[in-house]
Amino acid sequence: MNELISVAEAEALITRHMPSFGSERVELDVAAGRILREPIRAERDQPPFDRVMMDGIALRWSGSLPRSFAVCGVQLAGMVAQTLVDDGCCIEVTTGAMLPDGCNCIVPVEQTLREGDRYLLAEGYVPTSGQFIHARGSDCPIDALLLNAGIRIGAPEMAVLAANGVTDVEVAIVPSVAVVATGDELVDVGAALGEGQIRRSNDRALAAALRSRGFGRVALSQVADDLGATVSILGALLAAHQVLILSGGVSMGQRDHVPAALDALGVRCVFHRIAQRPGKPMWFGIGAQGQAVFALPGNPVSALVCAIRYVMPALLASMGAVAEPLEHVCLDEAVDTNANLTCFVPAHVQHDSSGRALAHPVPSRTSGDFSSLPRTHGFVQLPPGQNVAVAGTAAAFYRW
Ligand code: AMP
Ligand code: MG
């Protein structure tokens, strides 16, 4: 039987062996949600010109009279800059327009009175020089680093890319992932249930975890507990996908053929079994063409915990994604742990009045009990060394 390795060792071994999935250039319109793989710099000063910030009038204010200005022009957003010919005049302006040459102040229309072809400043209103002018380069100067490689392109990133003329962008290739459920007892969601059968749910759960993290290329399949069938189906999947995530068939049972099948297919075992609960039988290896193969235990809590704790971060790191900061919580109640195993305990998290994240443990009685998982937000990681984690214990928290 293989030696158990620690959670930290498992994590380090995965990091060391994971392949890179490469990058590709895509058009901006299909880049939302992808991991950026190049730094983005400012195309020009932002704003690119002194920009009017209010609808109103532009004038040259020297701190005193006049308080009445003849209209000598209109400067709308998008027009080239006009010039103020005389300090006694003003130019009507709209938000987003270039500041007319010679002007140093915008007076909002609400602070003016229109009298024929003149504007009067409202009674008692005293403008200040420079007001309501968004100075050129004040947001960022040309060539400033705006986006680092490794971020996910969300709405703010998309705004910055578009504003800086980026029509196509280098992003991480999203690996094609095969999710394989193993087990003679499993039937698909809509199928009729025979005696001794259960619906397969791990594959759907794993696919949901993948899709919610931007992995759109996910193929589901099922394998019977038969060595020949497992070899043949996994062989075909290894030829077609860069990542395989299996559930079930990886323990010590007489029908657990996954490690032997992967071995027969030339997938090199990096580790088998981690000192953790749930998920002790987890297996990880690398295929002959660099495919990453994660074989997770079949119990639904084990499969999901292993996927969230190891598989998702590994895939994202291989795509060059900057890791999300680790969340920390405090237990609001004691929970049983294990002297020899790291325990992952599902928990519900809420914040107290001072903003402290409190995790309420919702332990599964067994790793086959998953009905309560939807009432949790993720799980805490509790290290070995003791048999109980007392209330107030600080722990790392992993979201589903
Ligand atoms: P195994 O790791 O294959 O021994 O499976 C452990 C337990 O998890 C068994 O009770 C299986 O029926 C259950 N199981 C395995 N695969 C799935 C699946 N895809 N969906 C739901 N339960 C599963
Ligand atoms: Mg099984």
Side-chain angles (χ1 to χ4, degrees):
M1 191 184 291
N2 296 337
E3 282 284 300
L4 296 183
I5 60 169
S6 71
V7 166
E9 284 167 318
E11 206 169 25
L13 283 168
I14 294 172
T15 304
R16 189 168 340 136
H17 287 87
M18 278 299 285
S20 164
F21 302 116
S23 65
E24 61 184 349
R25 271 201 107 64
V26 298
E27 289 189 8
L28 194 61
D29 287 341
V30 294
R34 304 289 296 270
I35 305 294
L36 184 68
R37 287 295 296 268
E38 62 175 338
I40 299 296
R41 294 184 172 275
E43 179 185 30
R44 52 185 185 156
D45 291 342
Q46 181 61 28
F49 45 82
D50 290 337
R51 197 181 70 102
V52 171
M53 294 171 68
M54 298 289 269
D55 295 327
I57 53 173
L59 46 82
R60 176 147 205 95
W61 180 253
S62 51
S64 58
L65 296 173
R67 296 187 59 83
S68 156
F69 304 87
V71 178
C72 67
V74 179
Q75 173 92 53
L76 305 176
M79 288 169 58
V80 297
Q82 303 188 30
T83 303
L84 189 74
V85 288
D86 182 317
D87 285 6
C89 296
C90 69
I91 294 176
E92 288 182 311
V93 290
T94 60
T95 303
M98 294 182 79
L99 180 70
D101 291 338
C103 295
N104 66 358
C105 171
I106 306 299
V107 176
V109 69
E110 308 87 286
Q111 301 295 350
T112 65
L113 294 170
R114 178 91 195 224
E115 271 188 2
D117 61 356
R118 300 186 73 80
Y119 276 95
L120 272 60
L121 299 190
E123 183 76 32
Y125 181 74
V126 181
T128 55
S129 172
Q131 71 176 26
F132 301 121
I133 297 168
H134 191 189
R136 173 178 177 160
S138 59
D139 185 8
C140 70
I142 185 169
D143 216 33
L145 180 62
L146 297 177
L147 301 175
N148 278 308
I151 53 112
R152 192 182 288 280
I153 300 173
E157 292 76 20
M158 189 55 90
V160 165
L161 290 165
N164 285 276
V166 180
T167 55
D168 51 53
V169 64
E170 194 75 12
V171 294
I173 290 176
V174 179
S176 171
V177 184
V179 177
V180 192
T182 74
D184 287 341
E185 73 280 30
L186 306 176
V187 300
D188 203 357
V189 184
L193 282 164
E195 205 170 330
Q197 294 185 318
I198 60 166
R199 298 193 194 286
R200 46 183 248 235
S201 56
N202 288 345
D203 51 338
R204 294 300 205 301
L206 297 173
L210 287 162
R211 292 208 170 95
S212 66
R213 288 164 176 81
F215 296 94
R217 301 166 64 202
V218 182
L220 306 187
S221 52
Q222 183 178 340
V223 182
D225 288 326
D226 173 85
L227 181 59
T230 308
V231 170
S232 117
I233 290 178
L234 295 189
L237 293 173
L238 282 167
H241 302 277
Q242 289 133 301
V243 179
L244 262 57
I245 308 175
L246 293 90
S247 80
V250 78
S251 305
M252 298 296 164
Q254 53 174 307
R255 307 279 283 171
D256 290 333
H257 298 301
V258 166
L262 291 169
D263 184 53
L265 290 163
V267 181
R268 188 167 59 83
C269 176
V270 174
F271 66 75
H272 187 187
R273 294 162 57 81
I274 307 173
Q276 63 183 15
R277 178 181 293 158
K280 198 197 278 179
M282 180 175 166
W283 188 105
F284 170 68
I286 298 293
Q289 281 78 46
Q291 307 94 323
V293 181
F294 300 88
L296 314 180
N299 267 313
V301 183
S302 314
L304 203 49
V305 163
C306 290
I308 300 298
R309 181 64 185 82
Y310 301 104
V311 183
M312 303 302 151
L315 296 184
L316 290 169
S318 276
M319 292 166 68
V322 174
E324 300 271 328
L326 191 55
E327 271 190 70
H328 292 278
V329 296
C330 270
L331 294 183
D332 72 352
E333 192 175 85
V335 65
D336 288 342
T337 56
N338 188 285
N340 303 311
L341 305 173
T342 295
C343 287
F344 299 115
V345 181
H348 174 98
V349 172
Q350 53 189 21
H351 292 85
D352 67 11
S353 55
S354 63
R356 202 165 56 125
L358 294 178
H360 183 68
V362 185
S364 300
R365 270 187 317 108
T366 77
S367 51
D369 296 324
F370 58 105
S371 314
S372 60
L373 292 190
R375 294 198 296 276
T376 66
H377 298 107
F379 52 88
V380 287
Q381 175 174 319
L382 300 167
Q386 56 202 354
N387 289 315
V388 68
V390 297
T393 299
F397 184 72
Y398 296 85
R399 284 194 183 262
W400 294 129

